[in-house]
Amino acid sequence: GAVVSQHPSRVICKSGTSVKIECRSLDFQATTMFWYRQFPKQSLMLMATSNEGSKATYEQGVEKDKFLINHASLTLSTLTVTSAHPEDSSFYICSASPRSGSPLHFGNGTRLTVT
Amino acid sequence: GQNIDQPTEMTATEGAIVQINCTYQTSGFNGLFWYQQHAGEAPTFLSYNVLDGLEEKGRFSSFLSRSKGYSYLLLKELQMKDSASYLCAVSNQAGTALIFGKGTTLSVSS
């Protein structure tokens, strides 16, 4: 149980375009999902907390107008990287937990390459 | 502030035992997690400690001392497939995101 699905797994886009990444909880409802980013050989850095039915909470230094988060249902959160630039190239991973206090389960991640 | 420290790299041989240490200083504590991450993949959950002591799960065990802000992950009977990054993560508060350490890259050789 507690499966989190993320799509796409890999995307290459041109500088200036936007990319949407979907995160779904397949067998549980998630009022909260978390979006992380990981640069090569570095750890996971929390970008934002996605809250169903309300605005996302962004970590310091993360531009909310650039990384748009929508959590329209209890099983789906989306992250849109707007006007992508090469420095946005990274591994984006979403996560959710079936209940408070239980381990976070991660999607398979999205490898974004901006050319 | 929040700080989670673990060694950057470790090496070991097949069949051996390795202990990966993690120390943490966080504003709150609601549990400590260990994850395994292979290159290019998402992390997978290994273990969870919220009370002091040792949790054993097959070849993997994890220990926690809350008073010392210290945990370790113990891997026994190492296999080549155990070569991966091991991430220590702390939950500050129920329902909030995990804070991750930088990870320990373990290389297992034959």
Side-chain angles (χ1 to χ4, degrees):
Chain A
V3 177
V4 176
S5 173
Q6 188 173 339
H7 178 80
S9 58
R10 201 174 284 271
V11 60
I12 300 172
C13 70
K14 292 187 177 179
S15 192
T17 60
S18 295
V19 173
K20 181 188 279 190
I21 302 169
E22 291 187 348
C23 180
R24 294 180 187 273
S25 56
L26 296 186
D27 52 358
F28 65 97
Q29 294 183 330
T31 55
T32 303
M33 291 184 174
F34 304 103
W35 287 95
Y36 288 86
R37 179 168 55 181
Q38 186 176 36
F39 291 105
K41 296 188 187 284
Q42 295 189 25
S43 190
L44 282 77
M45 296 301 295
L46 179 68
M47 297 177 67
T49 300
S50 173
N51 304 299
E52 188 269 334
S54 64
K55 290 183 180 180
T57 306
Y58 291 82
E59 294 301 298
Q60 193 172 11
V62 178
E63 299 174 57
K64 63 180 180 182
D65 295 329
K66 179 171 182 61
F67 299 100
L68 301 179
I69 290 174
N70 185 287
H71 195 150
S73 79
L74 287 171
T75 59
L76 174 64
S77 174
T78 60
L79 168 69
T80 302
V81 183
T82 62
S83 187
H85 288 105
E87 56 265 32
D88 297 325
S89 298
S90 188
F91 191 48
Y92 292 85
I93 316 175
C94 70
S95 64
S97 170
R99 57 191 173 280
S100 176
S102 65
L104 280 183
H105 294 268
F106 288 86
N108 285 332
T110 298
R111 175 76 57 194
L112 172 63
T113 303
V114 185
T115 61
Chain B
Q2 325 269 39
N3 197 45
I4 300 176
D5 283 320
Q6 48 181 132
T8 305
E9 294 180 339
M10 297 184 73
T11 59
T13 53
E14 266 188 307
I17 299 172
V18 71
Q19 177 175 312
I20 303 173
N21 295 323
C22 171
T23 58
Y24 64 90
Q25 293 173 307
T26 53
S27 56
F29 184 80
N30 191 54
L32 187 141
F33 300 78
W34 283 95
Y35 284 82
Q36 179 191 62
Q37 186 179 26
H38 284 100
E41 299 180 9
T44 54
F45 169 73
L46 288 179
S47 70
Y48 166 59
N49 295 71
V50 65
L51 299 175
D52 290 353
L54 188 69
E55 293 283 339
E56 296 186 77
K57 197 189 267 190
R59 294 191 297 118
F60 296 80
S61 303
S62 57
F63 172 83
L64 175 67
S65 168
R66 288 172 296 171
S67 62
K68 295 181 179 177
Y70 167 70
S71 173
Y72 68 71
L73 179 70
L74 193 71
L75 294 81
K76 303 175 187 175
E77 301 170 16
L78 281 174
Q79 302 174 9
M80 299 291 283
K81 67 178 182 179
D82 296 329
S83 294
S85 182
Y86 291 85
L87 307 173
C88 174
V90 173
S91 170
N92 262 350
Q93 185 179 336
T96 62
L98 296 183
I99 304 163
F100 283 85
K102 292 186 176 178
T104 299
T105 300
L106 173 66
S107 299
V108 180
S109 58
S110 57

